[in-house]
Amino acid sequence: MTSSKGSTPPGAAPDISIVGDQVTLYPTGYTESPAAAHHHDTHDRNLVEHMARFRESPYEFLREISLHVQGSGWRSYENIVGQPIYYNGFSDNMKAAVMATPMLQAKIAELAATRVSVEEEQGLLGARSSNDYERKKAKRRSEVEQSLRDVAEKWTDQMICKMESKRFIRGAYYLATSVITRAYHQGIHVSSEEVLRLRAVAEKAAKNKQSIIFLPCHRSHVDYVSLQLICYRLGLALPTVVAGDNLNFPLLGPFLQHAGAMWIRRSFGDDQLYVCLVQSYIDTLLKHGFNLECFVEGGRSRMGKLLPPKFGILSFLLDSVMSGRVGDAIVCPVSTQYDKVIEVDSYISELLGTPKAKENLSDFLSASSVMSLQLGRVDVRFHEPWSLSEFIQQQQTRFDNLSQTQQADLNRVYHSNLRTRLLRTLGYKVLADINAVSVVMPTSLIGTVLLTLRGRGVGRTELIRRVEWLSDRVRAQGGRVAHFAGQPTETVVQRGLEVLGPDLIGVQKDVAEETYFAVDRFQLSFYRNMLIHLFVNQALVSASMYTQIKAGGAVESQAITYGALLSQVSFLSQLFRGEFIFPTAGLSANLAETINGLETEDIIKVHRTKSITDRPKNSDLKTNPMDNPDSIEKVELSDLERTEGRNNFDFYCFLIWPFIEASWLGAVSLMMLTPPSSLPSSLAHLNTGFTTESGALWLDDRAFQSCAQHLGKTLFAQGDLSYFEAVNKETLKNAYQRFEEEGIIVTRKIRGDANKSGGDKAKGPVALVRLADEWMPQRQHGKKSNGYSNGNRDRISTQSVLSDIETGERMSLQPQGRLWEFCEEISQSRLEGKNRRDGDAVVKRVLRLVDTVADGLWNGPSNVVSIDSEILAQLRRNTVEWKGTLSDEAYLRREAQLADQDLTRSGGLSTWLYVQDEEKKNAGFSKDTAPSRRVLAGCETIRKRALVASYGNNGAVQNGASDAIKVEEVIAHGVASVFVPEELRGKGYGGMMIAHLGRSLKNWKGDPSTDNEKVAFSVLYSDVGKKFYAKHGWQPHRSSHIRLPVGLLAHKTRTESNRLRTSPVVASSLPGLVNTDCELVRRRLPQLHSRNVKYHTSGESRSSDRDLVTIALVPDLATIRWHHAREDFVAEELFGKDCIPEVKGAIVEIVEGQSTATTRSEGDRDFQEPSSTRTRRVWAIWNRLWRNRPIQEDATRPYGPGNFKTTDGNTLHILRLVVEPLYEENPEAELKPKEGTAEESAALAAVLQAALSEAVRWGMSEVEIWNPTRTTAKATELVSANGEEINVVDREEDEITSLKWLGESEPKICWEENTRFGWC
């Protein structure tokens, strides 16, 4: 682009333009004549008319298509530069190469071995002592490997690009060119110099069988289309394009896959096979020299500027070369710029909070209107390619040359090794290279000028002058401006205005001079952001100076000291660290260079010490850029800049102010995370679990960010926010990411199916957010506090926040504290608007709006994931009775942690409150929000898996046979934490709540989405005897136990149990053992039911066999881990995080003989028993309960396990005691109560001795076993000294196991496997 006088920009690279089939080279300095310009206008029109002639001349249209499909001249795509592509069998060859990679084969073998190991641990491979056990194991491993290969082959076929047919790609090129060049009617432009260089590199790479990795910026779906068109037209091998599978939908997906797209998932999760498969495919492409294209930013930029790099695919590329699997690859950063981006309208909607629509074919077809658009041109620029291997070596050498201190600093910053540092450096180098070759388009210049003016509009003459001025500034910064073959600026500006259109830029003609103004500032900001990277340093310095300038006063008082300038620039640089890409020289060097540049432009005046001031005027400051920054005293605006109305200074400020506004909005919106003084009581009803950390309240992050945008729109509407674009989602998200890095907010993710208050669901992980405790603002009762004195910021304690919640009083946010100070620090650089000069009134208005919007956030039942006011108050009331050895605060944290376990998530935990409306005086469970209601009682229920065995509708008892017995998995609800406040006891509230609960539980699943629809029964463990709960349907069942005092270890046993060596059960051992236990329970239940039926249908006790059921709770892993989470939490609180019990049980193997070999078949599996011996296992799983803090035994040794005195009240509970059967019981055989074998009793005794030893180690006084079997009782006798009897105690008052049937008619119930694991 030239000035209106027609001068040619110096050093402008020649262009190649591609319009339709025509490729034109413009040599350097070429100035297009008016006739030529007119010719190009005519050519554009002819192109449109040519496409429209289809109905007039269909034969000519078909001939054009035939030329591309058949291949004529360059259209043939023969003799390309690169490896062979587009031939029959390409896909099969690629698939075979990927599947044959050693990495993939090794991963398949590893995963198969892991799977077989798990099955072996679970006993799914049969008896270990079997003669053909190893053969079965090898066969199973082979089966798993083949299954994994089948999956990998299927995924490979879905993933790889399928470059099979040259006819197809010729037709695809014709179609894509026709569409793109009708939308972008001025064509696709590239630099001839860059193209010639790229082709030379491609020829060398092809000879060396090396790949070119194209790494373009990503602003539009047109990006990869335009690059493919250029490569095709110039005879380069088309790259394989890494694309998200969201575009892989019917019709379009296969088309793109055959045109070069490879499909990958948007998220890999922890799928090891898929990750390895992607790496193997990329290795294959790079190893064989196939070109590759991927987007370093990940997704499309909705804001116009570059996004921070995403390291996923870059990590694969780096790993390929660093590992040595690929020798080298050539990296080519690519910049693609547009006069106008097709998708900008949809981008704006997304940035304003509209959810991104899923791509589908109808949207693509509806975009046919694009064919009639005139969007200007596309400029594609190629950075000089460079070797990835050489880059790695350079970075390695650079790191090795650093001092050990510097290396340690880098390791501390990146928390990882050289590979992580390389990856980050690679990502940001690519972005810097893209920026270095990016071309600034006329539309970007026009949009920037209109958005950086103080006035409402600008006349045509001034617009052209400002565009020329901005073009010069861009070039001065080392940037490039798109030139249009020497056309005068007014012509280029006019074309730019036409491309942007009246929806973005308006014109007022009924005035002395045509005046242009921004209509859609939000959308224009997209084009402004295309050049902002060139002026970030100047903008930060100007915004920092503005902190002093906006204070007004005398000119002298508006100067800023160097120290203050450096401090504010440093603050803003850190604030925007994730928003912009800064030069790598460092803050001081960048600031020095920027100050010198602004001084040279006569925008600022720098006051230096005499030694600097006395320099000759012709001294070269640029070559001697402030050797001593300390010599600068202060900086102010130059006299010329003030005289000219601060135009240049304001220009830089206007560039950065929208981002400062967005960061300020983000910081102010964090005030919404302050818990309100009272939470909606509706959250208390049937709260399905909560998540807390130190008593903090978590919010749904997506809901919070949506409310932040709502707050921003309100502030803009009321004049407290100057830029509407500040509410855009991406800038706010970047701000929140920085706030998280600074420790202002804390985030976490929970499983997507985890219920939040209110039961809403979400697919995928759900992000939660809260304020860090030390950043929590204050609330006060309508008056200002004294604030923080002497700079000390007292954090709002958990207790004070929780107390506010309990009071139910409205307390207002206060403009003080660490967070508000942070907001004020950002605000110093904000644009000062006329509506913000009234100080305190504005602050109050802003905070009032924050509270107003926050009300909607905290009142949304699906947003809060935490304890609400009533539930919290109930927990605090029962703290005294139930906290045990814990502090009040630790007790609340323990309850929060137990509510966030596998057992209690996903609606597993439900909180029930029995309330009374003080106005209506009626009590019950209510969903109504009643601020005046009173909590009379409360409890919790935990959803449990259970089994019910019964005879089916057509079954009959035939000699005790179990073939008609049906075992059904059902839901059981365990009732826990029944509590009535002390002042309300004796008034019947507990009984009324339990009666209501019994009726409510019949249809309560806890989780509406659970697959299991049947709720069968409820259990509880009464601490008030047997009668109270029996009145309400919870009938008492066998509640007995044996207690082994730890003193028994002082005596030797009489059995061979001390010859059996036990092994500890640790957390990693639990899954296999627990799964085996669950399977044994399921298999034994029909036999137990058959026995129970025979017993209860004999003699005087005879009743209908259909009126009896046998039930059992399932001792699954979630339940066991819930108990251990409880144990671990208390241990960490009592003894520290290094003293959490690792031993969760004990296991021993026993060997027993058998006279003959037997072989049975079950389903499609054979079980062969050994002819001599068989090894089987006996194990116990336990947990520890500390009612009292253990006393240190030896003061000279550290306090901890192994140095505790026996402390009364502390008990080691046996959760499960399991004996593997000697052989698979015959399902048709009658199962009678019997004593176990001597070997079983000895093994059980050995396990119980291990439990006693562990109890002594942790300060326990006893080991307790619930509802022991005869075999267990025999084993306890073996453990006891001299064989004295150990009594079985029947409990009458505490922990009475009780069960209520929730079905239509209550049967006779036999409760099996009723051990401590079921307690809750």
Side-chain angles (χ1 to χ4, degrees):
M1 176 170 58
T2 68
S3 68
S4 55
K5 296 181 180 180
S7 62
T8 304
D15 274 0
I16 291 177
S17 68
I18 305 175
V19 180
D21 291 342
Q22 182 173 346
V23 180
T24 306
L25 172 64
Y26 301 106
T28 303
Y30 170 77
T31 301
E32 191 173 34
S33 66
H38 176 74
H39 169 74
H40 277 290
D41 289 341
T42 304
H43 179 80
D44 290 343
R45 287 195 298 271
N46 287 338
L47 179 62
V48 175
E49 290 173 1
H50 168 74
M51 297 298 294
R53 282 204 306 261
F54 169 69
R55 279 172 274 185
E56 300 174 9
S57 181
Y59 295 108
E60 181 66 19
F61 175 77
L62 293 174
R63 190 187 71 83
E64 289 287 335
I65 293 179
S66 177
L67 287 175
H68 283 81
V69 174
Q70 297 299 326
S72 175
W74 60 267
R75 301 177 184 86
S76 66
Y77 200 56
E78 302 287 353
N79 302 318
I80 60 172
V81 179
Q83 303 307 311
I85 54 177
Y86 288 105
Y87 61 85
N88 289 333
F90 175 86
S91 302
D92 291 338
N93 293 341
M94 182 62 68
K95 190 190 305 182
V98 173
M99 291 299 299
T101 54
M103 170 187 288
L104 182 58
Q105 293 300 318
K107 177 58 68 174
I108 288 175
E110 175 192 336
L111 293 176
T114 301
R115 176 59 190 168
V116 171
S117 176
V118 171
E119 292 182 359
E120 185 178 25
E121 185 177 350
Q122 294 176 350
L124 301 178
L125 301 180
R128 293 174 182 263
S129 57
S130 173
N131 293 332
D132 60 348
Y133 181 78
E134 291 300 327
R135 179 187 62 81
K136 287 183 177 179
K137 183 177 177 181
K139 180 181 178 182
R140 177 58 181 157
R141 184 185 297 112
S142 177
E143 291 173 351
V144 176
E145 287 182 357
Q146 185 57 49
S147 176
L148 290 172
R149 286 193 192 94
D150 293 342
V151 171
E153 188 169 358
K154 177 182 176 182
W155 286 351
T156 302
D157 185 69
Q158 294 171 347
M159 179 190 302
I160 64 172
C161 68
K162 299 181 177 180
M163 299 178 171
E164 292 282 339
S165 168
K166 276 195 171 64
R167 288 193 174 186
F168 169 82
I169 198 61
R170 292 168 189 156
Y173 173 85
Y174 174 78
L175 177 63
T177 303
S178 300
V179 173
I180 294 300
T181 55
R182 288 193 66 177
Y184 291 96
H185 63 294
Q186 294 175 5
I188 301 174
H189 290 242
V190 297
S191 164
S192 59
E193 177 187 353
E194 293 171 0
V195 166
L196 293 173
R197 181 178 61 200
L198 175 62
R199 187 177 177 89
V201 170
E203 290 172 349
K204 183 178 179 181
K207 181 183 294 186
N208 297 332
K209 212 172 185 178
Q210 292 176 344
S211 303
I212 298 178
I213 303 172
F214 294 99
L215 298 176
C217 57
H218 200 13
R219 291 190 173 94
S220 169
H221 285 308
V222 178
D223 294 338
Y224 39 81
V225 178
S226 60
L227 184 56
Q228 295 286 82
L229 293 180
I230 291 171
C231 289
Y232 186 100
R233 187 63 183 85
L234 299 176
L236 303 180
L238 297 187
T240 297
V241 183
V242 180
D245 59 3
N246 57 306
L247 292 175
N248 188 14
F249 48 81
L251 298 183
L252 182 66
F255 177 86
L256 294 178
Q257 192 171 21
H258 284 80
M262 64 168 281
W263 302 120
I264 62 171
R265 300 174 187 169
R266 304 291 288 181
S267 175
F268 294 178
D270 56 356
D271 193 329
Q272 297 182 47
L273 180 61
Y274 191 80
V275 171
C276 182
L277 184 61
V278 173
Q279 182 70 72
S280 299
Y281 183 30
I282 290 177
D283 283 357
T284 302
L285 290 171
L286 300 184
K287 185 176 181 180
H288 292 85
F290 294 102
N291 294 341
L292 187 69
E293 176 187 349
C294 61
F295 298 100
V296 68
E297 300 165 277
R300 289 170 293 164
S301 171
R302 269 73 173 168
M303 296 181 60
K305 66 182 185 62
L306 290 181
L307 302 176
K310 297 293 189 296
F311 300 109
I313 295 298
L314 287 183
S315 176
F316 288 113
L317 298 173
L318 190 65
D319 190 63
S320 295
V321 177
M322 285 191 69
S323 65
R325 296 190 301 271
V326 176
D328 196 7
I330 307 302
V331 176
C332 182
V334 181
S335 169
T336 307
Q337 303 295 326
Y338 300 86
D339 269 331
K340 194 172 185 180
V341 173
I342 295 176
E343 301 101 321
V344 167
D345 286 340
S346 65
Y347 291 170
I348 301 305
S349 296
E350 292 175 29
L351 292 176
L352 288 175
T354 303
K356 179 179 179 291
K358 184 178 180 180
E359 282 82 2
N360 56 76
L361 185 60
S362 62
D363 287 345
F364 275 79
L365 295 178
S366 65
S368 60
S369 58
V370 169
M371 298 282 285
S372 61
L373 295 177
Q374 292 195 345
L375 303 178
R377 81 183 203 184
V378 181
D379 272 70
V380 181
R381 294 294 186 264
F382 299 89
H383 191 276
E384 182 177 0
W386 39 270
S387 163
L388 181 56
S389 176
E390 291 179 5
F391 165 80
I392 295 172
Q393 293 173 4
Q394 291 169 0
Q395 295 301 315
Q396 177 69 67
T397 302
R398 179 184 174 189
F399 181 75
D400 293 340
N401 291 336
L402 296 175
S403 66
Q404 291 186 353
T405 301
Q406 290 172 319
Q407 291 184 13
D409 289 341
L410 279 177
N411 286 329
R412 184 170 59 253
V413 170
Y414 295 116
H415 305 288
S416 188
N417 52 17
L418 174 66
R419 184 180 180 280
T420 301
R421 295 191 298 274
L422 279 173
L423 192 58
R424 291 181 60 86
T425 305
L426 173 62
Y428 282 100
K429 172 178 170 54
V430 170
L431 293 183
D433 288 350
I434 292 173
N435 272 338
V437 297
S438 293
V439 172
V440 177
M441 306 300 287
T443 50
S444 179
L445 298 171
I446 295 169
T448 302
V449 167
L450 290 175
L451 292 180
T452 54
L453 295 172
R454 282 198 176 271
R456 180 174 180 271
V458 60
R460 183 179 182 85
T461 302
E462 179 64 10
L463 174 61
I464 293 172
R465 188 194 71 79
R466 294 292 294 181
V467 167
E468 289 180 343
W469 173 87
L470 183 54
S471 299
D472 292 338
R473 297 270 59 76
V474 169
R475 295 189 186 98
Q477 289 299 119
R480 303 179 178 187
V481 178
H483 52 87
F484 283 71
Q487 294 181 15
T489 304
E490 53 264 32
T491 302
V492 176
V493 169
Q494 182 59 39
R495 286 189 173 184
L497 292 171
E498 292 171 358
V499 168
L500 291 172
D503 291 340
L504 272 69
I505 297 178
V507 58
Q508 188 170 354
K509 298 183 178 181
D510 58 345
V511 289
E513 182 185 19
E514 283 190 357
T515 302
Y516 298 91
F517 56 92
V519 174
D520 189 338
R521 302 181 67 90
F522 204 137
Q523 192 168 159
L524 276 179
S525 68
F526 181 92
Y527 301 98
R528 178 206 60 206
N529 290 342
M530 288 182 175
L531 59 73
I532 193 172
H533 64 280
L534 295 167
F535 305 106
V536 169
N537 288 336
Q538 292 89 337
L540 293 181
V541 169
S542 299
S544 299
M545 292 178 62
Y546 184 70
T547 61
Q548 196 70 22
I549 292 172
K550 74 175 181 179
V555 172
E556 297 79 13
S557 66
Q558 296 181 25
I560 185 170
T561 65
Y562 179 77
L565 178 64
L566 177 62
S567 175
Q568 188 67 8
V569 169
S570 176
F571 172 74
L572 293 177
S573 298
Q574 289 298 314
L575 189 66
F576 298 127
R577 191 173 69 186
E579 194 73 61
F580 303 111
I581 301 169
F582 296 98
T584 58
L587 176 64
S588 297
N590 291 336
L591 179 57
E593 183 177 353
T594 304
I595 290 176
N596 275 284
L598 292 173
E599 185 181 20
T600 301
E601 295 173 12
D602 205 5
I603 297 175
I604 64 172
K605 182 192 300 183
V606 181
H607 297 267
R608 298 184 175 88
T609 59
K610 184 176 180 181
S611 60
I612 301 297
T613 306
D614 290 345
R615 285 182 177 176
K617 291 184 178 181
N618 60 356
S619 63
D620 190 353
L621 291 176
K622 288 191 175 181
T623 59
N624 192 7
M626 300 184 55
D627 300 322
N628 183 16
D630 293 336
S631 62
I632 299 180
E633 295 178 349
K634 58 183 179 180
V635 178
E636 62 176 325
L637 289 179
S638 68
D639 296 336
L640 178 62
E641 185 66 15
R642 291 184 184 278
T643 301
E644 294 185 349
R646 284 181 12 193
N647 284 338
N648 300 317
F649 176 81
D650 285 351
F651 166 76
Y652 293 127
C653 287
F654 276 117
L655 287 177
I656 200 68
W657 271 333
F659 295 92
I660 294 175
E661 287 276 84
S663 293
W664 178 82
L665 172 61
V668 168
S669 69
L670 297 185
M671 304 286 284
M672 295 193 300
L673 297 178
T674 309
S677 55
S678 63
L679 288 173
S681 55
S682 59
L683 294 178
H685 178 64
L686 306 183
N687 180 39
T688 53
F690 53 84
T691 303
T692 68
E693 185 171 308
S694 301
L697 308 176
W698 294 88
L699 284 169
D700 184 292
D701 188 47
R702 182 162 51 181
F704 161 66
Q705 293 195 29
S706 177
C707 285
Q709 286 190 285
H710 185 55
L711 173 65
K713 294 173 184 178
T714 307
L715 291 172
F716 177 78
Q718 297 187 6
D720 292 307
L721 196 69
S722 298
Y723 293 93
F724 188 57
E725 64 207 77
V727 306
N728 89 71
K729 184 171 63 176
E730 289 299 322
T731 307
L732 284 174
K733 186 169 69 174
N734 290 339
Y736 293 136
Q737 185 174 341
R738 286 294 298 121
F739 299 159
E740 181 182 0
E741 292 170 359
E742 293 298 319
I744 303 175
I745 58 175
V746 183
T747 63
R748 64 176 298 182
K749 290 185 177 180
I750 60 175
R751 294 188 327 189
D753 61 347
N755 265 17
K756 298 177 288 181
S757 302
D760 283 1
K761 299 286 179 180
K763 295 181 179 179
V766 175
L768 304 178
V769 64
R770 69 173 178 87
L771 270 176
D773 291 340
E774 59 270 26
W775 289 82
M776 187 71 71
Q778 286 186 331
R779 287 187 181 275
Q780 294 202 353
H781 297 277
K783 62 179 181 179
K784 293 184 178 180
S785 69
N786 294 327
Y788 299 104
S789 60
N790 301 322
N792 295 322
R793 299 184 174 100
D794 299 325
R795 55 170 282 191
I796 302 295
S797 67
T798 299
Q799 286 80 5
S800 64
V801 171
L802 302 184
S803 297
D804 291 343
I805 292 175
E806 287 182 3
T807 64
E809 298 181 23
R810 179 76 179 195
M811 302 173 69
S812 60
L813 287 168
Q814 298 300 304
Q816 52 193 230
R818 191 174 181 184
L819 180 56
W820 185 254
E821 291 172 3
F822 178 68
C823 296
E824 288 291 276
E825 192 168 4
I826 298 175
S827 184
Q828 289 180 28
S829 292
R830 293 176 66 205
L831 170 63
E832 186 67 49
K834 63 179 182 179
N835 291 330
R836 290 203 297 274
R837 290 190 179 275
D838 47 356
D840 289 344
V842 172
V843 170
K844 292 178 181 178
R845 183 168 66 245
V846 169
L847 291 182
R848 178 183 58 79
L849 287 173
V850 168
D851 253 340
T852 299
V853 177
D855 281 345
L857 179 64
W858 287 93
N859 277 279
S862 63
N863 299 336
V864 183
V865 185
S866 183
I867 309 174
D868 82 291
S869 56
E870 291 174 324
I871 296 176
L872 177 60
Q874 187 77 350
L875 278 174
R876 289 176 63 84
R877 291 188 189 101
N878 62 44
T879 297
V880 175
E881 297 184 27
W882 291 350
K883 69 179 181 179
T885 58
L886 299 175
S887 66
D888 291 2
E889 184 266 345
Y891 170 73
L892 293 177
R893 285 191 288 111
R894 185 194 70 181
E895 294 305 295
Q897 182 167 311
L898 291 179
D900 194 26
Q901 302 299 311
D902 288 341
L903 180 67
T904 48
R905 296 191 192 107
S906 302
L909 174 68
S910 298
T911 300
W912 303 76
L913 297 180
Y914 189 66
V915 298
Q916 182 182 55
D917 191 317
E918 288 295 284
E919 296 177 359
K920 299 179 181 179
K921 294 298 182 182
N922 57 349
F925 295 117
S926 173
K927 294 184 179 180
D928 296 330
T929 302
S932 60
R933 74 187 192 180
R934 185 184 189 188
V935 177
L936 305 176
C939 67
E940 295 174 340
T941 57
I942 297 178
R943 189 180 65 238
K944 295 173 175 287
R945 293 171 58 200
L947 300 173
V948 174
S950 63
Y951 282 103
N953 293 333
N954 299 321
V957 183
Q958 298 176 354
N959 300 321
S962 61
D963 57 324
I965 295 176
K966 176 179 65 174
V967 177
E968 183 179 11
E969 181 161 335
V970 297
I971 292 174
H973 291 298
V975 181
S977 305
V978 178
F979 183 81
V980 178
E982 185 174 4
E983 68 274 13
L984 298 177
R985 292 174 188 172
K987 299 181 180 181
Y989 294 139
M992 287 186 279
M993 179 190 70
I994 288 298
H996 277 283
L997 181 67
R999 293 190 293 269
S1000 300
L1001 284 179
K1002 291 185 178 182
N1003 297 310
W1004 178 247
K1005 294 181 294 181
D1007 179 7
S1009 69
T1010 183
D1011 293 333
N1012 197 336
E1013 296 290 334
K1014 185 171 183 179
V1015 178
F1017 59 89
S1018 170
V1019 298
L1020 59 79
Y1021 299 83
S1022 170
D1023 287 331
V1024 292
K1026 299 180 178 181
K1027 295 181 179 180
F1028 174 77
Y1029 289 105
K1031 290 189 300 182
H1032 302 288
W1034 277 268
Q1035 299 300 324
H1037 284 249
R1038 183 189 176 198
S1039 304
S1040 62
H1041 64 260
I1042 288 177
R1043 286 177 178 161
L1044 301 177
V1046 296
L1048 293 177
L1049 284 180
H1051 307 281
K1052 294 183 178 180
T1053 62
R1054 301 183 294 102
T1055 72
E1056 63 175 350
S1057 61
N1058 23 344
R1059 296 200 306 269
L1060 296 174
R1061 179 172 297 178
T1062 61
S1063 300
V1065 172
V1066 295
S1068 60
S1069 309
L1070 288 174
L1073 295 176
V1074 170
N1075 288 341
T1076 299
D1077 186 14
C1078 291
E1079 183 62 25
L1080 290 175
V1081 170
R1082 183 179 291 274
R1083 290 189 178 188
R1084 285 172 53 84
L1085 203 61
Q1087 299 166 327
L1088 293 169
H1089 182 65
S1090 178
R1091 179 202 66 179
N1092 293 335
V1093 168
K1094 277 190 169 291
Y1095 175 78
H1096 289 286
T1097 57
S1098 61
E1100 296 180 359
S1101 301
R1102 190 170 191 84
S1103 63
S1104 171
D1105 58 290
R1106 300 185 189 282
D1107 292 336
L1108 185 141
V1109 296
T1110 301
I1111 66 98
L1113 297 175
V1114 177
D1116 57 10
L1117 190 60
T1119 301
I1120 299 300
R1121 283 178 170 168
W1122 181 84
H1123 284 280
H1124 288 158
R1126 185 185 184 94
E1127 171 189 71
D1128 292 349
F1129 183 93
V1130 176
E1132 182 175 350
E1133 288 296 312
L1134 294 180
F1135 316 124
K1137 64 181 180 180
D1138 295 329
C1139 292
I1140 296 176
E1142 295 181 355
V1143 178
K1144 305 300 184 183
I1147 188 170
V1148 65
E1149 290 189 346
I1150 56 177
V1151 180
E1152 294 180 285
Q1154 194 163 300
S1155 58
T1156 59
T1158 60
T1159 302
R1160 296 186 299 101
S1161 295
E1162 182 176 324
D1164 58 351
R1165 299 180 61 187
D1166 293 334
F1167 296 85
Q1168 182 172 354
E1169 305 303 333
S1171 58
S1172 55
T1173 61
R1174 172 178 173 170
T1175 301
R1176 56 197 179 102
R1177 300 172 295 177
V1178 175
W1179 69 83
I1181 299 174
W1182 58 61
N1183 79 323
R1184 305 157 183 83
L1185 176 63
W1186 289 276
R1187 289 188 174 89
N1188 299 293
R1189 185 181 181 88
I1191 301 172
Q1192 187 173 11
E1193 186 171 46
D1194 185 350
T1196 64
R1197 294 164 52 204
Y1199 180 76
N1203 190 24
F1204 294 140
K1205 291 182 179 179
T1206 298
T1207 306
D1208 290 341
N1210 296 343
T1211 305
L1212 187 145
H1213 287 280
I1214 302 296
L1215 300 178
R1216 292 293 293 161
L1217 200 54
V1218 183
V1219 179
E1220 282 187 317
L1222 181 60
Y1223 53 87
E1224 299 289 345
E1225 290 90 347
N1226 182 355
E1228 297 184 0
E1230 181 179 355
L1231 184 64
K1232 297 179 179 180
K1234 61 179 180 180
E1235 294 187 6
T1237 64
E1239 291 86 349
E1240 287 180 3
S1241 297
L1244 285 170
V1247 167
L1248 293 176
Q1249 282 181 306
L1252 286 167
S1253 298
E1254 193 68 12
V1256 170
R1257 174 175 168 78
W1258 288 93
M1260 310 274 112
S1261 63
E1262 61 193 5
V1263 173
E1264 186 171 287
I1265 311 157
W1266 277 18
N1267 295 330
T1269 64
R1270 293 185 183 184
T1271 306
T1272 303
K1274 178 67 175 177
T1276 59
E1277 294 177 4
L1278 298 178
V1279 173
S1280 65
N1282 302 321
E1284 67 259 25
E1285 185 177 1
I1286 299 294
N1287 294 322
V1288 177
V1289 177
D1290 290 320
R1291 299 187 299 277
E1292 295 295 331
E1293 295 296 330
D1294 297 332
E1295 297 176 329
I1296 306 300
T1297 58
S1298 307
L1299 185 147
K1300 177 181 177 66
W1301 188 257
L1302 299 175
E1304 293 299 327
S1305 57
E1306 184 172 356
K1308 177 72 176 178
I1309 299 171
C1310 295
W1311 188 349
E1312 303 290 347
E1313 307 295 341
N1314 184 7
T1315 59
R1316 176 74 183 190
F1317 81 92
W1319 177 89
C1320 58

